[in-house]
């Protein structure tokens, strides 16, 4: 199930469900797997075995009409981030761009978020090697959000609390 499925089923917020699932995952009661750009599947480890084959590797998989276009391309994230060249090495640059791209995706999907929301939601999965939480925010996430603000896709509400809103 996805976090949204569980939230609908339980009648509570997705963020609450996600926090609870992360606790259960740390105790090895629940497993998870990233199944899309912003999709995570969760399962009870005693009842479900995680898939051994990716869906796109399955022999019955059919090609999509426009497989070359990613969700980021449709949303214009690549165009938005095209001139942003963070990091000093290609590897670091890719990690920072991945974190920035993820921040744009989660803001678009959640609508309005604070710095701590971004840290809670993204830092575990999109940490950048050798960056503290503060550096990760200043060099990997905030620059991507500023590009979205400059482009008119997001608004920065000066706080307290400071919030970013997708428009």
């Amino acid at each position: 199930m996805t976090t949204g499925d569980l939230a609908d089923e339980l009648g509570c917020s997705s963020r609450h469900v996600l926090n609870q699932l992360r606790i259960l995952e740390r105790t090895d009661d629940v497993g998870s797997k990233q199944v899309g750009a912003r999709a995570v599947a969760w399962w009870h480890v005693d009842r479900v075995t995680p898939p051994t084959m990716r869906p796109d590797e399955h022999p019955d998989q059919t090609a999509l009409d426009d497989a070359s276009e990613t969700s980021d391309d449709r949303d214009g994230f690549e165009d938005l981030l095209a001139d942003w060249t963070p990091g000093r090495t290609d590897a670091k640059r890719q990690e920072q761009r991945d974190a920035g791209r993820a921040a744009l995706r989660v803001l678009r999907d959640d609508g309005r978020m604070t710095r701590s929301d971004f840290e809670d939601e993204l830092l575990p999965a999109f940490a950048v090697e050798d960056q503290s939480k503060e550096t990760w925010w200043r060099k990997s996430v905030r620059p991507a959000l500023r590009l979205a603000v400059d482009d008119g896709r997001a608004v920065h509400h000066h706080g307290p609390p400071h919030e970013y809103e997708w428009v």
Side-chain angles (χ1 to χ4, degrees), residues 45-59:
V45 294
D46 292 337
R47 298 181 187 167
V48 178
T49 304
T52 58
M53 180 184 300
R54 291 181 17 193
D56 61 341
E57 295 171 345
H58 194 279

Side-chain angles (χ1 to χ4, degrees), residues 156-163:
H156 179 202
H157 300 282
H158 298 279
H162 286 270
E163 292 182 311

